[in-house]
Amino acid sequence: NLSDRLQSTISKLRGTDKLTDDNIKEALREVKLALLEADVNLLIVKEFVNSIKKEVLGAEVEKGLDPGKQFIKLVHEKLVEIMGTNPEDINVKKGGLHKVMMVGLQGSGKTTTTGKIAKKFQDVNPLLVACDVYRPAAVDQLLTVAKRAGVTSFEKGTDHDPVTIAKEGLEKAKAGNHSLLMIDTAGRLQIDEKLMEELARMKEAIRPDDILLVIDSMTGQEAVRVAKTFDDTLGITGVVLTKVDGDARGGAALSIRKTIGKPIKYIGIGEKLDGLELFDPERMASRILG
Amino acid sequence: VFGDGKLDEDKLEEFEDLLLQGDLGVEVTMELVDHLRQGWKDGKYKTVADIQESLKTKIQEELTLKISPLNLSESPFAVILMVGINGVGKTTTTAKITSLFQKLDKKCMLVACDTFRAGAVKQLETWGERLDVTVVKGKENEDPASVAFEGIKRAKQEKVDILIIDTAGRLHTQVNLMEEVKKISRVVEKALPGAPHETLMVIDSTTGQNAIEQAKVFNEALDLSGLVVTKLDGTAKGGVVVAIHRQLQIPIRFIGVGEQVNDLQNFNPEEFTEALFA
Ligand SMILES: Nc1nc2c(ncn2[C@@H]2O[C@H](COP(=O)(O)OP(=O)(O)OP(=O)(O)O)[C@@H](O)[C@H]2O)c(=O)[nH]1
Ligand SMILES: Nc1nc2c(ncn2[C@@H]2O[C@H](COP(=O)(O)OP(=O)(O)OP(=O)(O)O)[C@@H](O)[C@H]2O)c(=O)[nH]1
Ligand SMILES: [Mg+2]
Ligand SMILES: [Mg+2]
């Protein structure tokens, strides 16, 4: 992990009373490599390392404090700062109608996460809407997920425009005493103009309170471009990082926070519908540093 | 992409950045760039074009394995086992490969060994209907190994040419699930010695460095015969396969370039390398 890697470079800082451009060069390089190996986007890594450098230069090495530990402490703190303060749950209240659209690339975990969030809020009577008309048996999957989560679902087969289905789902939610509307959409490439425009139309028709971008935590360098395009097109309100129960370092989380600045609300930690947790910025920062 | 021109340290850094952003990873990138820097210092490379050429050649060589073609004419039939982590495209790729073999006049049969995930069997059955192939399935939550066994039995009865077994997504860190997929493979081998003739791991091209660890664990468990890299119709370059190739020498059989049944191509090292620099 980073502290081990920094051991030899940092030991050279012992006895110095000031951190200078020269003596932290190697340490900064170690941070750069650690973040790249954790899949943080290259441009974000460069920005981060520069900001660390600015902060560290001229810093007095506190008497009695191991300069290496001080350096790592600073890196960790800076990461946590970027990761965001403790996240807010989505703002669901009984009696209101909170509308959520789930979006993201193919296979990231949208349908499963839709079920997880619904299960978490099952006491406000959620309604799940099956708006993926493309993937074989996607509607089936969403209906089964709803059943397993103990919540209601709405579907209109696969021969209708997903926006029409969403609108009808909204009407059903209003009429049926549901306080949470979760719209599951088909996975799509952020460069697919037609499908991105479909989401924009859906947003226009539904006026959601939340648009959650569901991202696989093992995503590599491309996380930035994906997040940016979804955000530019739709205005993402929050992110869910999935498959965090794996051992990917999760650098995509840092890239996304830095790029679109939206809160990471939840992490998916398993395939079952109870596998959802609130995002913990401290734990994610430690994981990324390795 | 870099125009032509004098070589300098900045230009080298531009190449380094390109490789890193393509998900080639720190180790592979540094090694490639060090080689370029050495060639530059030795006077072997003089211009940016020289560097680009050398880089393309090296990467392409890295990805070219003398591989035997897919084992398709096994007797009584060939068995292909599809594995990989969650959501990478195993089920869709199973359908694509089936369609490819049908065009070669092979009779195919599919086995739905994902007995756990919501809608998984339905998804494969839908593909089966579209392609007019039999899909062998079990009961919900049945032991996937027993469904695989049933698949072999049915394939023998119906004299198929190729049996493709689709399995549930699983993280390489889930020990019990890795044991489960090993068991599927063992049961298949017992039911038909020599099978599975191909064990293909499907990898999502948007994955970062974790794909290396995934491939290592799956390879250790199952002795993979090939990889399929999916979603290359997106903006990710899939550069992590260079490291996988280097460390594990597993041939890349196919790439997925879309969600339709025809969106499968044979892996072409030259095209893949060109795309890295596009
Ligand atoms: N281990 C693990 N698996 C997950 C998690 N979230 C989702 N999955 C699995 O990932 C796979 C894909 O999940 P889906 O919910 O179908 O993904 P999707 O985004 O709806 O896929 P498309 O609709 O095709 O774009 C499934 O096998 C899920 O069980 C998670 O947090 N951990
Ligand atoms: N754009 C694109 N999408 C793909 C490709 N291959 C698969 N997909 C999509 O990725 C999503 C997941 O595909 P699946 O075939 O269900 O993946 P899987 O590995 O079987 O998923 P699990 O069984 O849940 O682990 C679906 O939306 C597919 O349409 C590809 O090459 N390009
Ligand atoms: Mg889905
Ligand atoms: Mg599948």
Side-chain angles (χ1 to χ4, degrees):
Chain A
N1 61 27
L2 187 63
S3 18
D4 298 338
R5 300 167 67 135
L6 284 174
Q7 274 326 317
S8 64
T9 41
I10 290 303
S11 62
K12 297 188 185 120
L13 294 177
R14 234 181 269 285
T16 58
D17 49 24
K18 211 181 237 155
L19 297 174
T20 66
D21 202 354
D22 222 50
N23 65 19
I24 60 163
K25 201 174 192 150
E26 249 176 276
L28 287 178
R29 181 174 161 75
E30 285 300 332
V31 172
K32 176 181 177 190
L33 294 182
L35 293 180
L36 284 173
E37 287 169 357
D39 290 323
V40 180
N41 183 276
L42 177 66
L43 300 177
I44 305 293
V45 172
K46 290 187 177 186
E47 251 177 75
F48 183 80
V49 170
N50 273 330
S51 74
I52 293 284
K53 184 173 175 186
K54 282 202 187 70
E55 197 133 336
V56 152
L57 281 185
E60 298 297 326
V61 177
E62 299 178 23
K63 279 275 170 292
L65 196 67
D66 177 342
K69 288 216 167 56
Q70 186 175 333
F71 182 82
I72 292 183
K73 186 158 157 291
L74 173 68
V75 172
H76 184 91
E77 280 172 3
K78 260 256 161 303
L79 265 186
V80 174
E81 200 178 308
I82 298 172
M83 284 305 177
T85 50
N86 285 315
E88 324 94 48
D89 230 328
I90 55 176
N91 191 12
V92 185
K93 296 193 285 290
K94 214 169 201 151
L97 175 56
H98 193 89
K99 301 171 280 181
V100 182
M101 266 172 65
M102 305 291 284
V103 304
L105 296 179
Q106 291 90 345
S108 61
K110 298 174 293 301
T111 306
T112 309
T113 305
T114 300
K116 290 176 179 180
I117 295 177
K119 179 154 199 249
K120 174 170 177 142
F121 293 104
Q122 57 184 305
D123 58 344
V124 302
N125 194 13
L127 179 69
L128 272 45
V129 183
C131 283
D132 181 352
V133 304
Y134 309 105
R135 169 174 153 157
V139 172
D140 263 275
Q141 183 186 5
L142 198 271
L143 297 190
T144 303
V145 163
K147 202 184 295 136
R148 290 183 186 181
V151 301
T152 320
S153 58
F154 172 71
E155 57 98 5
K156 208 168 152 66
T158 59
D159 295 325
H160 294 270
D161 178 354
V163 179
T164 305
I165 303 175
K167 286 202 271 198
E168 229 174 278
L170 176 57
E171 290 318 305
K172 279 265 163 356
K174 288 179 181 162
N177 186 24
H178 298 281
S179 298
L180 174 61
L181 176 74
M182 306 265 334
I183 301 177
D184 181 27
T185 69
R188 67 206 62 215
L189 300 176
Q190 85 278 11
I191 52 170
D192 188 325
E193 295 190 358
K194 187 157 166 286
L195 286 184
M196 289 305 285
E197 190 257 345
E198 172 188 284
L199 286 180
R201 277 191 301 119
M202 191 181 290
K203 174 186 181 182
E204 184 75 18
I206 299 298
R207 299 257 160 244
D209 302 290
D210 267 303
I211 300 183
L212 300 182
L213 177 63
V214 180
I215 286 247
D216 194 324
S217 61
M218 56 191 79
T219 305
Q221 296 287 309
E222 220 46 33
V224 164
R225 244 190 280 187
V226 172
K228 182 138 179 36
T229 307
F230 271 91
D231 191 37
D232 287 348
T233 310
L234 300 170
I236 297 298
T237 62
V239 176
V240 181
L241 224 54
T242 60
K243 308 175 204 171
V244 179
D245 45 318
D247 60 1
R249 298 264 290 277
L254 178 65
S255 305
I256 292 177
R257 277 290 302 160
K258 254 303 182 159
T259 306
I260 65 174
K262 300 298 165 71
I264 298 176
K265 296 203 171 272
Y266 307 109
I267 56 169
I269 51 160
E271 289 194 79
K272 302 225 177 77
L273 299 182
D274 56 4
L276 190 77
E277 277 180 6
L278 279 175
F279 178 66
D280 181 337
E282 281 269 357
R283 275 172 77 191
M284 198 75 222
S286 304
R287 179 172 173 140
I288 290 177
L289 283 180
Chain B
V1 119
F2 292 92
D4 211 358
K6 281 285 310 332
L7 203 41
D8 58 25
E9 197 52 51
D10 282 346
K11 276 289 181 302
L12 273 184
E13 173 148 351
E14 276 181 48
F15 278 103
E16 179 179 296
D17 286 3
L18 178 83
L19 297 176
L20 287 171
Q21 288 178 321
D23 281 316
L24 271 80
V26 170
E27 192 177 309
V28 170
T29 299
M30 294 317 169
E31 196 171 318
L32 288 169
V33 173
D34 285 347
H35 164 87
L36 295 176
R37 187 175 291 109
Q38 195 54 52
W40 171 39
K41 297 268 153 74
D42 295 344
K44 190 155 143 232
Y45 308 130
K46 303 205 174 46
T47 64
V48 169
D50 290 341
I51 291 287
Q52 179 142 320
E53 216 32 55
S54 159
L55 204 48
K56 281 189 185 176
T57 306
K58 239 182 168 308
I59 294 175
Q60 201 177 311
E61 278 174 8
E62 201 59 68
L63 293 172
T64 306
L65 261 188
K66 274 205 195 61
I67 54 173
S68 45
L70 261 191
N71 250 335
L72 290 193
S73 40
E74 298 291 330
S75 171
F77 52 85
V79 178
I80 302 178
L81 181 64
M82 307 292 293
V83 302
I85 65 151
N86 309 71
V88 295
K90 298 175 293 301
T91 305
T92 309
T93 304
T94 297
K96 291 175 181 178
I97 291 181
T98 302
S99 173
L100 174 70
F101 294 159
Q102 284 180 321
K103 295 199 179 81
L104 303 173
D105 279 326
K106 303 281 185 182
K107 179 167 185 219
C108 300
M109 181 182 279
L110 306 180
V111 189
C113 277
D114 182 350
T115 57
F116 158 73
R117 202 207 73 204
V121 174
K122 226 2 154 76
Q123 185 184 5
L124 192 64
E125 282 187 312
T126 305
W127 280 116
E129 282 164 30
R130 290 183 188 184
L131 297 169
D132 191 22
V133 292
T134 305
V135 176
V136 176
K137 61 177 179 179
K139 303 185 206 70
E140 189 175 349
N141 285 319
E142 179 174 337
D143 179 357
S146 76
V147 183
F149 182 81
E150 182 65 21
I152 300 275
K153 197 156 137 249
R154 289 281 301 279
K156 284 179 182 166
Q157 287 168 1
E158 291 176 41
K159 303 206 168 31
V160 301
D161 299 314
I162 304 187
L163 183 72
I164 309 178
I165 304 173
D166 181 24
T167 65
R170 68 203 66 234
L171 295 181
H172 54 293
T173 48
Q174 288 163 318
V175 178
N176 59 329
L177 293 186
M178 290 310 293
E179 283 309 309
E180 176 187 274
V181 76
K182 280 194 214 165
K183 183 176 173 200
I184 294 175
S185 189
R186 278 200 309 272
V187 164
V188 164
E189 158 37 66
K190 246 175 141 245
L192 184 69
H197 306 95
E198 293 286 337
T199 299
L200 299 182
M201 180 173 181
V202 181
I203 293 193
D204 187 328
S205 63
T206 64
T207 311
Q209 298 307 298
N210 195 248
I212 301 171
E213 186 60 19
Q214 292 168 22
K216 278 202 188 125
V217 174
F218 272 83
N219 193 41
E220 222 148 291
L222 302 167
D223 191 14
L224 304 173
S225 68
L227 301 177
V228 180
V229 185
T230 60
K231 308 178 195 173
L232 280 170
D233 45 321
T235 52
K237 304 289 183 180
V240 68
V241 302
V242 178
I244 294 177
H245 216 260
R246 187 181 270 214
Q247 296 187 28
L248 304 175
Q249 304 277 296
I250 306 167
I252 301 168
R253 293 295 191 189
F254 302 108
I255 60 172
V257 292
E259 303 189 68
Q260 305 312 322
V261 84
N262 295 322
D263 293 327
L264 188 76
Q265 294 173 3
N266 283 308
F267 177 68
N268 180 319
E270 182 172 3
E271 286 177 9
F272 186 86
T273 305
E274 279 298 327
L276 275 181
F277 290 82

